[in-house]
Amino acid sequence: MTASETDMQAEDVRALRQSAVPTALAGLVCVAVGAAAAGGKGALGALLALVVVTIFFAISLYVVGRAAKISPQAMMIAALSSYMVKIIALAAILSAFQGTTLFNGQVFGFSAIALVLVWSGTQVRAMVKSKILYVEPRP
């Protein structure tokens, strides 16, 4: 493994941590609010939303990070492909649990929206603070 690959892996872990930790904390708040609003089923709905959002975004981060090592074109294809797969998977999950009484669907939905916003916001913040060149300097 080269030094640049090691740096890239460290950067991927740092990016994951910068979003996963605030999302987990927001998830705990969602679980508490869900429990207060709808009892155990509300807490379970919020917890499932946390799991789904975290897994979906972690997969994207991993896939795009791996593709970035190949080329910018591969990175874009990977990002779009993982997005499409996630949308299809989310539709399948929602369809499978459409009439369930196992958890509160409204708490799941609102928690998922809140957690997506937290994850996305922390990703934007991390990109704004990073010093990544967006133009290749001439040698």
Side-chain angles (χ1 to χ4, degrees):
M1 188 177 310
T2 66
S4 65
E5 287 176 344
T6 304
D7 290 342
M8 181 59 101
Q9 286 179 346
E11 188 175 319
D12 291 344
V13 170
R14 186 173 28 255
L16 181 61
R17 190 179 323 118
Q18 287 176 344
S19 294
V21 171
T23 302
L25 294 174
L28 292 176
V29 171
C30 288
V31 168
V33 170
K41 291 183 180 191
L44 183 58
L47 186 63
L48 289 173
L50 175 61
V51 169
V52 168
V53 168
T54 302
I55 289 173
F56 275 29
F57 278 109
I59 287 171
S60 288
L61 190 62
Y62 175 76
V63 168
V64 171
R66 297 285 296 192
K69 296 175 185 175
I70 299 169
S71 73
Q73 293 83 7
M75 185 174 73
M76 186 62 166
I77 291 169
L80 291 173
S81 299
S82 69
Y83 178 76
M84 289 303 299
V85 168
K86 289 187 307 186
I87 293 298
I88 292 168
L90 183 59
I93 289 169
L94 292 176
S95 176
F97 290 105
Q98 186 174 9
T100 189
T101 58
L102 179 64
F103 59 90
N104 187 302
Q106 286 184 322
V107 173
F108 174 84
F110 285 120
S111 296
I113 291 169
L115 296 171
V116 164
L117 292 174
V118 169
W119 187 288
S120 299
T122 56
Q123 286 287 298
V124 169
R125 181 177 180 268
M127 289 305 296
V128 168
K129 291 182 72 174
S130 69
K131 305 285 191 243
I132 297 175
L133 294 175
Y134 56 90
V135 176
E136 293 289 329
R138 291 188 183 188

